[in-house]
Amino acid sequence: MVSYVCLNWVLLVLFTGPAVSELVVMGEVGQDVTVPCRYSVRDRNGITSMCWGRDRCPNSKCSRPIIWTDGWRVTEQHSSRYQLKGDLQKGDVSLTIVNAREADSGIYCCRVELPGWFNDQLINHKVVITKARISTASPLTYTSEQTSAPGSTSEPSFTVTRTWPSVSSSEAPQTASAPCSGPSDCLDVTANLQNTSVSLPSQQHPEHGLYIWIGSCAALLLILILALFLT
């Protein structure tokens, strides 16, 4: 009876294998991606060998192995892009994929070989490498005003604006607000503004002529009164 139970247990372990955990690691193209894996080291006797493979962990060793270590140093390395940068003697056997590519996506097996039957520590990692995100924000645009042709000596464009005195709408000139197309046009506009402004002061005081006329009438009326008094 005891032998039958032991035989069933051995067959169950052989066909099902040891328990394997699985983790997901995300990364981007061009970056260094670290796939974690650790085991407990209590003393120097606890340092052991391990391997990384490009497939799920089999019943023994690693399928498609990419790197091996005896616990002290790396003994086999499929490519310089696969590195163990952790402290091996402290049980840090994390795998670093240098300059990751989309082709690096897939299942990775970390197998730590511990003493005893079916005691190995197995971890399957699903590594997903995606392209770097590209910003979709619209670019900023900058505009500048330029009135001269490219390659020529340009004068900065400017706007002539002038406030006129309060006069009737028929006499008030139009305000020049459009930018000048060139230095000669700006000089013409400025000269016209000055000529127009010279003629305005005579129109700003129309009451002055009215006062003179009233004074003249009063003087004539006074002379007539004096003439009648004398006669």
Side-chain angles (χ1 to χ4, degrees), residues 206-222:
E207 297 86 356
H208 184 67
L210 179 61
Y211 295 152
I212 295 176
W213 181 79
I214 294 175
S216 300
C217 292
L220 290 176
L221 182 60
L222 181 59

Side-chain angles (χ1 to χ4, degrees), residues 139-144:
L140 297 177
T141 57
Y142 300 90
T143 58
S144 59

Side-chain angles (χ1 to χ4, degrees), residues 21 30 58 68 82 85 104 107 156 167 170 185 211 214 216 223 225:
S21 60
W68 278 86
Y82 302 124
K85 295 185 177 182
D104 293 324
I107 302 298
V167 293
S170 61
D185 294 343
Y211 295 152
I214 294 175
S216 300
I223 291 172
I225 293 174

Side-chain angles (χ1 to χ4, degrees), residues 16-208:
T16 60
V20 182
S21 60
E22 184 168 328
L23 301 175
V24 178
V25 177
M26 304 292 294
E28 292 185 354
V29 173
Q31 296 182 348
D32 292 353
V33 179
T34 299
V35 187
C37 187
R38 285 177 169 272
Y39 68 95
S40 177
V41 177
R42 296 182 179 180
D43 51 35
R44 295 173 61 88
N45 294 328
I47 299 175
T48 185
S49 59
M50 62 85 55
C51 63
W52 280 94
R54 284 294 306 267
D55 208 340
R56 296 187 180 277
C57 297
N59 291 331
S60 64
K61 306 301 180 180
C62 290
S63 298
R64 300 168 58 194
I66 57 177
I67 196 166
W68 278 86
T69 173
D70 59 3
W72 301 90
R73 60 184 179 84
V74 174
T75 56
E76 294 183 27
Q77 190 175 14
H78 176 71
S79 170
S80 60
R81 294 179 54 246
Y82 302 124
Q83 301 179 10
L84 301 181
K85 295 185 177 182
D87 191 341
L88 300 181
Q89 298 177 20
K90 291 184 178 181
D92 186 359
V93 289
S94 300
L95 174 67
T96 299
I97 305 175
V98 179
N99 191 19
R101 308 166 185 171
E102 286 188 275
D104 293 324
S105 298
I107 302 298
Y108 288 75
C109 167
C110 172
R111 186 183 198 100
V112 179
E113 297 178 330
L114 300 177
W117 284 14
F118 313 112
N119 287 337
D120 291 354
Q121 175 182 309
L122 310 178
I123 303 178
N124 287 326
H125 293 270
K126 181 178 181 181
V127 177
V128 180
I129 307 299
T130 59
K131 292 182 179 179
R133 297 181 181 180
I134 301 176
S135 175
T136 58
S138 58
L140 297 177
T141 57
Y142 300 90
T143 58
S144 59
E145 295 183 0
Q146 182 176 354
T147 57
S148 59
S152 62
T153 303
S154 60
E155 292 289 338
S157 62
F158 58 93
T159 303
V160 179
T161 306
R162 186 162 181 171
T163 305
W164 296 91
S166 176
V167 293
S168 62
S169 59
S170 61
E171 296 174 350
Q174 298 294 327
T175 301
S177 58
C180 303
S181 60
S184 59
D185 294 343
C186 294
L187 293 176
D188 294 341
V189 172
T190 306
N192 292 335
L193 296 177
Q194 293 176 350
N195 294 335
T196 309
S197 62
V198 172
S199 62
L200 287 176
S202 62
Q203 302 176 2
Q204 292 179 356
H205 305 286
E207 297 86 356
H208 184 67

